[in-house]
Amino acid sequence: SSQLHAFLHEQLANGRALVQILEGEARALSLRDVAAIERLATEKQRLTGALAEHAQAMTQLLSKQDADGQNSAIRAPEDNDSTLTALWEETRSVLAAAHALNQANGKAVELSLNHVARTLRILTTGTDMPRTHVYSASGKVDAGVNRSQRVLTV
């Protein structure tokens, strides 16, 4: 139906826009351009919200039945099934690409955070080894920097 085509065309347009945003986000992450990252994150959030709303509306449209138990949204004789199928496949492909880009950007952020945490640990403790916290003789948590290497025997 024209309603279903309209939903898919809008999802496809939003999906393509999201891919562009995610590609821009990847560039901004590599350049550590905080202003661009913030701007793109806002736009990404808007687009993902629109995609979710359209998906929900499309689900409702597809679940509606006429009095005769049919769904007029998908049973219009003027529709060419192959055109609708191609539109659906292209939309799915674009959304899958957006998902993959978003996963890659998330991984880049995670790696960057791990690098910052590691660098901070080296600068603050002088070692790359994660700190292990143990109790000192006074019962306070000792981060290991001033921990005695002496072993007491009883």
Side-chain angles (χ1 to χ4, degrees):
S1 85
S2 61
Q3 241 183 332
L4 188 54
H5 274 97
F7 273 120
L8 287 175
H9 278 292
E10 195 152 348
Q11 285 294 75
L12 183 57
N14 283 338
R16 286 177 176 156
L18 183 59
V19 166
Q20 289 180 342
I21 294 295
L22 291 165
E23 288 170 346
E25 182 182 60
R27 284 188 299 276
L29 287 168
S30 70
L31 298 172
R32 298 178 191 252
D33 184 344
V34 176
I37 293 168
E38 288 175 343
R39 180 180 47 79
L40 292 164
T42 300
E43 185 62 14
K44 181 172 72 169
Q45 193 170 28
R46 186 193 67 75
L47 281 170
T48 55
L51 283 163
E53 286 176 19
H54 281 94
Q56 185 177 15
M58 194 162 59
T59 300
Q60 289 174 348
L61 174 69
L62 293 173
S63 67
K64 288 182 182 176
Q65 292 184 349
D66 298 337
D68 62 356
Q70 299 293 315
N71 186 318
S72 61
I74 57 175
R75 144 179 92 78
E78 70 274 2
D79 281 343
N80 181 342
D81 286 347
S82 64
T83 302
L84 191 60
T85 300
L87 183 58
W88 170 248
E89 289 302 320
E90 186 176 4
T91 302
R92 279 184 26 166
S93 176
V94 166
L95 293 176
H99 177 74
L101 283 168
N102 194 53
Q103 294 289 88
N105 289 352
K107 189 66 170 170
V109 169
E110 180 184 353
L111 289 173
S112 181
L113 286 173
N114 288 341
H115 177 74
V116 169
R118 183 176 175 211
T119 302
L120 184 59
R121 188 170 52 242
I122 291 169
L123 291 172
T124 58
T125 67
T127 179
D128 188 23
M129 300 301 292
R131 295 192 285 177
T132 55
H133 296 287
V134 296
Y135 291 103
S136 67
S138 64
K140 295 183 179 177
V141 174
D142 176 23
V145 175
N146 299 320
R147 190 178 327 138
S148 170
Q149 297 297 320
R150 197 176 83 181
V151 176
L152 297 175
T153 56
V154 182

